[in-house]
C-alpha cells in the first residue's frame, strides 16, 4: 500500500514536472529562437538548435537552475556558436578533401607514359645480370648493405661499389632502350 502511494506521488510529480516544462517551452521558445537567429541567420537551423536547447533543459535538473531565462539565453548562444564552429570545420574539411582529390588526377596520357616507363625498367632489369638486378631491387626495396651483402654473397664493404656499378649499368641500358643520346 505504501509503495503504491509512493509511486502515485512520483507519477504526479513527474506530470507536474512535464507540465512545468510545457509552460516553459511555450513561454521561452520564441525568445530562444530569436537569440539563435541573431547568430546563425537561418530560421530553420535556429529552430533545430532551439529544440536541442530545450531537450538539454528537459534532461537537466531544473530545480538546480536559479534563473531559467538566463540559462536558456546562455545555452542558446553556446549552441548557436557550437553550430557555427562545427559548420566551419566541416566546410574546411570538405574543401581540403576536394582539393586533395582534384589536386592530382593523372590524365590517360600520363598513365600511359608511366606504364611505358614501368615496362622499360622491367625490360632493362631482366636483361641485367642476376647479381646487379638483385642489388638494385633490394636497395630500392629498403634493405641495408649488410642484407644486400648476404643476398649476393659478397663482403659488405664491396656492396657500395657493386651497387654504384649496377646503377651506372642500369642507367646506360635504360637510355639505350629509350633512345636517349649521351
Amino acid at each position: 500500500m505504501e509503495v503504491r502511494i509512493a509511486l502515485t506521488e512520483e507519477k504526479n510529480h513527474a506530470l507536474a514536472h512535464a507540465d512545468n516544462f510545457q509552460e516553459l517551452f511555450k513561454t521561452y521558445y520564441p525568445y530562444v529562437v530569436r537569440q539563435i537567429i541573431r547568430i546563425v541567420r537561418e530560421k530553420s537551423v535556429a529552430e533545430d538548435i532551439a529544440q536541442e536547447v530545450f531537450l538539454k533543459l528537459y534532461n537537466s535538473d531544473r530545480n538546480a537552475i536559479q534563473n531559467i531565462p538566463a540559462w536558456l539565453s546562455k545555452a542558446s548562444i553556446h549552441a548557436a556558436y557550437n553550430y557555427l564552429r562545427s559548420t566551419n570545420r566541416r566546410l574546411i574539411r570538405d574543401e581540403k578533401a576536394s582539393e586533395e582529390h582534384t589536386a592530382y588526377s593523372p590524365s590517360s596520357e600520363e598513365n600511359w607514359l608511366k606504364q611505358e616507363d614501368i615496362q622499360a625498367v622491367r625490360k632493362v632489369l631482366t636483361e641485367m645480370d642476376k647479381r646487379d638486378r638483385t642489388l638494385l631491387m633490394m636497395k630500392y626495396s629498403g634493405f641495408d648493405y649488410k642484407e644486400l651483402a648476404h643476398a649476393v654473397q659478397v663482403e659488405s664493404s664491396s656492396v657500395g661499389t657493386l651497387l654504384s656499378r649496377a646503377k651506372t649499368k642500369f642507367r646506360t641500358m635504360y637510355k639505350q632502350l629509350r633512345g636517349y643520346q649521351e
Side-chain angles (χ1 to χ4, degrees), residues 124 127 169-182:
V124 169
E127 291 176 2
K169 200 179 294 180
F170 174 83
R171 203 171 293 128
T172 304
M173 291 173 72
Y174 183 80
K175 285 179 180 176
Q176 285 175 350
L177 180 70
R178 302 292 284 186
Y180 298 135
Q181 299 290 327
E182 287 192 33

Side-chain angles (χ1 to χ4, degrees), residues 80-93:
Y81 281 120
N82 282 340
Y83 170 78
L84 289 178
R85 277 191 290 268
S86 68
T87 301
N88 285 338
R89 272 188 250 128
R90 185 173 37 83
L91 288 174
I92 289 170
R93 191 175 45 243

Side-chain angles (χ1 to χ4, degrees), residues 20-37:
N20 186 14
F21 179 78
Q22 266 189 332
E23 287 182 28
L24 285 173
F25 185 82
K26 286 177 183 174
T27 306
Y28 294 111
Y29 181 78
Y31 169 74
V32 169
V33 170
R34 278 195 308 269
Q35 286 273 13
I36 296 169
I37 282 179

Side-chain angles (χ1 to χ4, degrees), residues 155-172:
E155 293 292 321
S156 59
S157 59
S158 43
V159 168
T161 304
L162 293 173
L163 193 58
S164 176
R165 288 180 187 158
K167 286 180 191 176
T168 303
K169 200 179 294 180
F170 174 83
R171 203 171 293 128
T172 304

